[in-house]
Amino acid sequence: IINAHQAFQEIKPRLSLVLDRSGSMKGHSGMDGQTRMQILKTAAHDLVDLVDFGSTLGIVSFNNEAQIAAPMTLLEILDPGPPVQDSREMLKDAIDALSPAGLTSIGAGIRVAGVAIQDPDHHPPKALIVLTDGRENSAPFLADLANFPEDVRVYAIGMGIPETLQPEPLMTFTENSGGYTVMADELGSDGNNTLSEFLVQILVEISNSSLILDPAMNIKPGVTEKLTFPLGQWDWGGEIILIQPPGAPLEVRIFSPRNKDPWTDIQTWESDNRRVIRHRILLPPDKIKDEVHHRGEWQVEVSLPENRFREWVAAIGDDSPAGLNQEAVPFTLMISTRSTLRMRCRINQSGYEPGATMTLSVKLTNGGIPHESLPALEVIVTDPAGNPDYPKPEVKKPGEFTCSITASDPGIYHWKIRAMGQTGSNEFYQRECRLTGAVWHPSPILGPQIIILPPS
């Protein structure tokens, strides 16, 4: 029998973070006077802290050329003993050294990363995660990447609006590789958390885990927020990831289904600035099949002690992060489990101009075979103007569901998918996913321009 820590350690992905350092990254992000490059660096730092122990991570940066910013590096393992080397700090230093300049060749970045990630002696999941704010305007282009490795999935986060990004080549490339592209839209006060939430979801999929819950909330001093999540017979433990403003004094307690006292078999890890805090529920082998300790509805309590909040606000002074103007701390709490019951969601589009059809496909599998039990499947699509729609999914075949909308207006369509159901032994389960689709009015990609000056 395998325990939760061993289960999480089983799959150790090989990852490359592909970062845009083109000149447009100097532009304003829409968030607190920060540039897009500053926002990208914060998100990239978060990813370094979120990648699981024992995984391998490298960093490639690109403008009109690409280079390896940090070689493929094995991330330290917490148990047993302290880390042998501070590999995460080395990766963060490489991110901090990036300086925006030049044109944009996403193809160059992906090509270099696709080569760097290969290792003939290592066959875990391999994936590239691209963060970019602009369209391709310099060769090599994505369409030029022939013979890209079939065993490497590519995911991308577009930092901006579709009219600026013109992301069709990137969306097509990621879909063909088995990954997907999500669009962050215009970054507002919660821009850092938005990017990090997408990164967590991508990492969860790469590691063959399942996302149970991902609320984004605000908490006021002296308040305790309570959230529940299920773990069942197919789950090998859980991980609670808290993303908060650096140093915020939020406190987390976890309760098992039938225990009034907080669960103590937890492995906790904090990033150096306490922006990312991970709580891993450990289920010892003798408790894996013991429903008293494992199966049922777990509870997470997030609290903000008022005295510690006041001390923190006084200490940060003028460096107060976004979201504190209402005396509330924004946070995201993402809960996942390593499980045989998995949900895979994808958006396919008939085109990329207004009027295109967006089709959601959902696959529920248990141990790799279709999960035939019919879940309650909720889908919410929010259009560019913020209006929600609730398309009703239909059963395509056992374990597969689909629904479609017409994207009439240009912009980004945010999809929220939640599956809820019961197992054969009447245990409740829940799976969640967030994706985006996008349509826009196409515009020509401008090449070099020749300016003819009038005679003096």
Side-chain angles (χ1 to χ4, degrees):
I1 300 173
I2 192 168
N3 69 30
H5 180 63
Q6 291 170 329
F8 275 95
Q9 293 296 320
E10 269 195 327
I11 295 179
K12 300 174 182 177
R14 199 168 164 82
L15 307 168
S16 182
L17 186 55
V18 186
L19 302 178
D20 188 341
R21 57 179 171 88
S22 63
S24 62
M25 296 296 290
K26 296 178 184 178
H28 180 52
S29 68
M31 178 181 175
D32 298 333
Q34 297 185 65
T35 66
R36 296 179 194 131
M37 178 57 79
Q38 289 173 310
I39 299 298
L40 177 143
K41 288 182 177 181
T42 298
H45 275 228
D46 287 349
L47 183 131
V48 171
D49 289 327
L50 289 164
V51 172
D52 206 3
F53 313 107
S55 301
T56 303
L57 176 63
I59 298 173
V60 169
S61 67
F62 67 90
N63 49 21
N64 47 289
E65 298 178 336
Q67 66 182 32
I68 296 175
M72 300 300 296
T73 303
L74 179 66
L75 297 181
E76 69 271 19
I77 300 175
L78 289 187
D79 187 17
V84 176
Q85 59 179 343
D86 206 347
S87 54
R88 296 183 197 263
E89 285 307 308
M90 182 273 291
L91 292 164
K92 290 179 183 178
D93 288 344
I95 293 167
D96 289 338
L98 299 180
S99 179
L103 299 176
T104 303
S105 174
I106 303 174
I110 289 179
R111 175 182 286 173
V112 169
V115 173
I117 203 171
Q118 295 302 319
D119 182 350
D121 300 322
H122 209 60
H123 303 284
K126 302 175 194 172
L128 312 184
I129 304 175
V130 182
L131 271 69
T132 180
D133 82 325
R135 73 178 90 175
E136 301 180 295
N137 56 19
S138 179
F141 298 100
L142 288 166
D144 300 330
L145 300 187
N147 302 318
F148 189 79
E150 294 183 357
D151 62 343
V152 178
R153 279 179 281 171
V154 182
Y155 299 83
I157 300 177
M159 299 172 57
I161 60 176
E163 286 77 10
T164 300
L165 291 166
Q166 300 282 307
E168 180 179 353
L170 188 58
M171 294 170 73
T172 301
F173 190 91
T174 55
E175 290 166 10
N176 289 341
S177 77
Y180 58 79
T181 297
V182 286
M183 305 287 291
D185 211 338
E186 294 179 325
L187 296 172
S189 61
D190 61 347
N192 280 329
N193 280 8
T194 298
L195 295 181
S196 297
E197 289 166 20
F198 282 137
L199 288 172
V200 171
Q201 179 175 283
I202 290 169
L203 290 173
V204 165
E205 177 170 302
I206 291 169
S207 63
N208 290 338
S209 295
S210 296
L211 191 62
I212 302 175
L213 193 67
D214 69 336
M217 306 175 67
N218 288 280
I219 186 169
K220 293 186 175 181
V223 172
T224 296
E225 299 286 354
K226 298 180 180 181
L227 301 162
T228 60
F229 66 95
L231 290 178
Q233 66 185 95
W234 299 314
D235 302 323
W236 302 338
E239 182 165 39
I240 294 94
I241 297 176
L242 173 68
I243 301 173
Q244 62 176 14
L250 271 63
E251 297 180 353
V252 174
R253 297 197 302 170
I254 301 166
F255 297 84
S256 66
R258 296 169 183 84
N259 196 329
K260 294 181 179 180
D261 297 321
W263 187 259
T264 56
D265 291 331
I266 296 173
Q267 183 185 63
T268 298
W269 181 87
E270 299 180 356
S271 62
D272 53 0
N273 62 354
R274 292 196 81 249
R275 173 167 164 77
V276 175
I277 302 176
R278 305 169 64 171
H279 301 276
R280 180 162 294 169
I281 298 172
L282 302 181
L283 298 175
D286 61 339
K287 295 180 181 178
I288 273 290
K289 292 190 175 181
D290 187 345
E291 64 182 31
V292 173
H293 294 279
H294 174 43
R295 301 179 184 178
E297 189 172 80
W298 290 68
Q299 181 171 280
V300 180
E301 290 186 357
V302 181
S303 59
L304 179 58
E306 187 160 2
N307 60 335
R308 294 189 61 198
F309 173 77
R310 301 300 174 197
E311 292 172 358
W312 175 60
V313 170
I316 58 180
D318 293 338
D319 296 325
S320 175
L324 293 183
N325 56 336
Q326 300 296 323
E327 290 206 337
V329 176
F331 72 92
T332 296
L333 196 72
M334 304 189 77
I335 303 174
S336 65
T337 179
R338 180 63 52 78
S339 177
T340 59
L341 180 62
R342 302 186 60 213
M343 180 174 74
R344 183 180 185 273
C345 303
R346 292 291 188 269
I347 302 292
N348 297 305
Q349 299 189 197
S350 64
Y352 298 98
E353 297 186 40
T357 299
M358 294 182 184
T359 301
L360 169 70
S361 63
V362 179
K363 292 184 179 180
L364 274 173
T365 57
N366 193 352
I369 62 175
H371 182 63
E372 298 188 7
S373 174
L374 190 64
L377 196 59
E378 296 180 353
V379 179
I380 304 175
V381 186
T382 305
D383 70 13
N387 302 310
D389 188 14
Y390 305 89
K392 185 176 180 181
E394 298 178 353
V395 179
K396 186 175 180 181
K397 58 183 180 179
E400 295 188 20
F401 309 86
T402 186
C403 61
S404 298
I405 66 163
T406 299
S408 301
D409 300 317
I412 297 173
Y413 291 74
H414 294 268
W415 293 69
K416 177 81 172 184
I417 304 102
R418 177 185 292 123
M420 297 174 290
Q422 287 185 318
T423 68
S425 55
N426 295 321
E427 293 178 357
F428 180 68
Y429 68 83
Q430 181 171 306
R431 298 291 182 263
E432 291 195 2
C433 182
R434 292 195 308 141
L435 296 173
T436 65
V439 293
W440 61 93
H441 294 297
S443 61
I445 297 177
L446 299 178
Q449 300 182 51
I450 300 175
I451 301 176
I452 301 176
L453 297 176
S456 57

